Amino acid sequence: MVGFTDEIGRYLETKFGNSIDEASERQVYQALMVKTRDKLSEKRFDYNKKLKDSKQKQAFYMSMEFLVGRTLRNNLFNLGLEKEVKDYLEKNGFTLDKIYDIEPDPGLGNGGLGRLASCYMDALTSQDYPMTGFSILYEFGIFKQVIHDGWQQEYPDNWLDLGSYGLAYRSDEEVEIKFYGSTREEWTDKGLKITHNDYTSVIAEPYDLLISGYHSEAVNTLRLWRAKANKGFNMKLFEKGEYARSVESDVIAESISKLLYPADDNDTGKALRIKQQYFFTSASLQQIVRNHYATYSTLDNLAEKVVIHINDTHPAMCIPELMRILLDEYEYSWEDAWNIVTKTFAYTNHTIMAEALEKWSVDLFKPILPRIYSIIAEINNRFCEWCKRIGALSELETMSIIHNNMIKMANLCIVSSYNVNGVSKLHSDILVEDTFKSFNRIYPGKFNNVTNGIAHRRWIAQSNPELTSYLNDLLKVDFVKDLSKIEKLYDYKDDRSVIEDLEKIKLLKKAQLSKYIKESTGINVDNESIFDVQVKRLHEYKRQLLNALHIVYLYRKIKFDGLRPVPRTFIFGAKASSGYAMAKNIIKFICTLSEMIEADPVVRNYVKVVFLEDYRVTLAEKIIPAANVSEQISQAGKEASGTGNMKLMLNGALTLGTMDGANVEIHEAVGDKNIFIFGLSTPEVNELIKNGYRPIDYYRSSSEIRDTLEFIRTINLNGSNFNNIVDYLINSDPYMCLADFHSYVEKQKEVENTYLDKNKWGSMSLVNIAKAGIFSADRSTEEYAKNIWNIDIVK
Ligand code: GPV
């Protein structure tokens, strides 16, 4: 058998006419990408055959975002080829890590939701579950962030130029998608027949990214659809003299898969977004139905063989699209079609924030998707009728799918899915007790919880090989295969020598990060200082501002009151949505603090602020292993789960957080002694809102708050001031930074004092690593597979 590295050599010879010793790094990169993809294709052939023969049920995961991260290392690692490739390259004068660095980070997502989708694909595949992901092949992923003079600037992320080698184009599986036009109703002997006329047609081309499992047989597919104009369709219109309409297809196709909307946890309400959502859900549904029909010659058993998962409401148009296909193309009656649809879909909610619950104006929606609109309206009519019959009329104001001329996508998902889940215990409780209370009453048992999880193979085994190899030697269990086994580390929680070893590894990871910080920002940081990390999207509810207020507090105390705290490096990474002015202001504020502190000969010995630009998966892999403190300080009740908190814990960082999202479960796992919890709880936040939160009262009654805020008014660096932020906090402060300020500052002091006791800190850190097993995406996805999807592994 020809070895993998022989194939690399042969590719270089035939493609570039070079032997490996004459090849460039760029050529070696291409050879590795292409040959890894081929290897996965071969493997997939066997897997697919088994899957087809078994005729078992399969899961399809619909998501507008898959934040894939670099693929080459993940694939080589999972295929067990990394060592062989590394040695081969070294022998020929190449460093594998440098080759990895050539790969663009496919940023086909914004943050947590998109990364979760990718973690789940990795985990399901590693466990041999049959799952296909569907999304859009965005030409430009999440923008590249450049910080210029403290301000965020956005640049296009042209990832496809070097990133496309991993993709397989499947021209044989193109499908047609229809927009605009009008519907016509006609009574025939078979009943009401609906036709869609004068539409504009676009083609969806499939590109497959093959996902490898870790030491598993499965190779699953992430199918990414790319839009192109329908040339044949245009030609016909042209011949008929409809010139303007003949170019419409080009215009729509040109824009649909152009770029990822950079808004996270926020509803953008734009026509292009509707088109993107329909484009990829229609393409995916058409393919699922077509394949199913080809196998079974009927769709009656669709729900027995297929489960379609909707990742938040962004792919909700799947639901009316399946109705459309069943009604209009396969001539099912409404009742029969609805019976299939309501057994096929499961929906995950990822937010309770009002501004993120998607709503579409009927006036915008209906002209773009006339048939889909008419189906949604009919689903709603029937739902409202049913509510009347069961005596739930008074609750229709909140439950109706169409209300005040707006289509509420979450309501559509709840009514049409057989299962709805939240992403952490707290979040799922809020869904049934508050956000979707009425629905829970009329659909008892429909709601449940699956706490999020992370692909631990990426987030420890690959990004922290030093820690992984140490733990492998110490524990002698295969925790890379099964993360629950890492709990064996708990036995060593009082073992000083193990604690010291872990501390050395942390120091090494901190030194690696310091080097990167120096290169990218010019700032020298002290490796012995506490590395305090807040990395996530920039959002007011996540309260980067509270973190910044504490930094200002420290600055004042050091400068004016002689405070000499344990040296600390505050590290931030965060992208702001391009239209989110306050978020951009907060970045500017943090960068200004960084500059101000660097210029102060005293303060800079105790505090450093580092804002690392362009936070993305690849950068997360550098920062997370080096963290001592994990800042998870959202206002209680607002962060659905968080997943960065899990990655940081697994790498030995201690959580400083509110009782929010999955922090609650981290607290439960490690116990009160191994975590720093502060701030108002969710019921306390609600109570305060009910009684009327007045931030100015906190400002008036606390001199620390007053001094901190008034000091911010005096900051004026290069012409920028932050009075707007101060006024906003005093007058509005929607996420209650002022209410939690004291409790946060006090907890920060406790963090500092604990850090001074190296042994205690080390033991706490060890416990966090040991107790991270339940946060593996293997556990989460197994819950989905068993409790919601009812699918088996491929044997
Ligand atoms: I809705 N989330 C996100 O990243 N983008 C979105 O559009 C929506 C939710 C996040 C939540 O904010 C996190 O709390 C959560 O951990 C993550 O989704 C995955 O569930």
Side-chain angles (χ1 to χ4, degrees), residues 518 521-525 555 591-605 607-610 717:
K518 174 72 188 164
T521 66
I523 300 177
N524 287 308
V525 305
Y555 181 94
C591 292
T592 302
L593 294 179
S594 173
E595 210 184 312
M596 198 174 92
I597 290 167
E598 275 306 281
D600 190 297
V602 178
V603 180
R604 69 177 176 219
N605 298 319
V607 174
K608 296 268 173 178
V609 175
V610 176
L717 212 64

Side-chain angles (χ1 to χ4, degrees), residues 65 110-117 120 263-267 273 311-314 348-353 356-357 422-424 427 452 537 539 541-542 638-646 661-662:
E65 305 186 8
N110 275 289
L113 170 131
R115 184 53 229 173
L116 188 79
Y120 282 1
D264 175 71
D265 273 347
N266 212 135
D267 173 16
R273 177 97 172 163
N311 199 27
D312 213 85
T313 56
H314 321 142
T348 299
N349 171 283
H350 295 263
T351 186
I352 56 146
M353 305 244 299
L357 290 175
V423 290
S424 71
H427 170 64
N452 282 167
R537 286 293 292 239
H539 245 292
Y541 83 80
K542 295 181 192 276
K638 291 295 185 295
E639 189 70 272
S641 164
T643 45
N645 45 4
M646 302 168 185

Side-chain angles (χ1 to χ4, degrees), residues 19-187:
S19 62
I20 176 107
D21 44 300
E22 299 162 311
S24 65
E25 285 182 342
R26 167 71 181 71
Q27 290 169 339
V28 171
Y29 161 73
Q30 183 172 330
L32 277 172
M33 288 291 283
V34 171
K35 284 288 125 190
T36 305
R37 185 192 67 197
D38 290 352
K39 180 107 200 152
L40 288 170
S41 302
E42 273 168 40
K43 219 180 142 180
R44 185 180 56 166
F45 181 80
D46 301 327
Y47 169 72
N48 264 353
K49 186 162 182 340
K50 272 197 195 171
L51 180 57
K52 272 202 189 122
D53 291 348
S54 75
K55 293 202 167 178
Q56 69 194 82
K57 189 176 185 188
Q58 297 184 48
F60 297 89
Y61 198 88
M62 303 285 168
S63 181
M64 282 286 273
E65 305 186 8
F66 278 86
L67 197 42
V68 183
R70 283 181 177 157
T71 63
L72 184 58
R73 187 183 58 187
N74 194 42
N75 286 331
L76 293 180
F77 179 88
N78 285 345
L79 292 168
L81 290 169
E82 199 176 28
K83 172 97 177 56
E84 178 187 340
V85 171
K86 195 174 169 155
D87 293 348
Y88 167 74
L89 291 187
E90 251 159 39
K91 221 171 56 209
N92 291 289
F94 294 97
T95 314
L96 182 55
D97 281 337
K98 279 173 83 182
I99 306 290
Y100 286 154
D101 275 339
I102 298 175
E103 187 183 356
D105 189 332
L108 311 183
N110 275 289
L113 170 131
R115 184 53 229 173
L116 188 79
S118 279
C119 280
Y120 282 1
M121 270 214 84
D122 287 352
L124 286 158
T125 311
S126 291
Q127 297 170 96
D128 285 317
Y129 279 113
M131 181 267 210
T132 303
F134 283 109
S135 193
I136 295 174
L137 185 75
Y138 300 106
E139 204 175 306
F140 298 102
I142 183 72
F143 61 84
K144 187 171 162 35
Q145 179 194 53
V146 173
I147 302 294
H148 185 78
D149 191 22
W151 293 104
Q152 168 179 299
Q153 293 181 343
E154 300 102 32
Y155 289 89
D157 160 46
N158 220 328
W159 74 284
L160 277 174
D161 52 356
L162 283 173
S164 60
Y165 298 113
L167 295 167
Y169 172 42
R170 291 292 305 272
S171 56
D172 55 317
E173 298 205 331
E174 290 183 356
V175 290
E176 182 186 13
I177 319 293
K178 298 172 182 175
F179 295 97
Y180 298 106
S182 55
T183 53
R184 213 183 62 215
E185 298 182 0
E186 215 180 338
W187 284 98

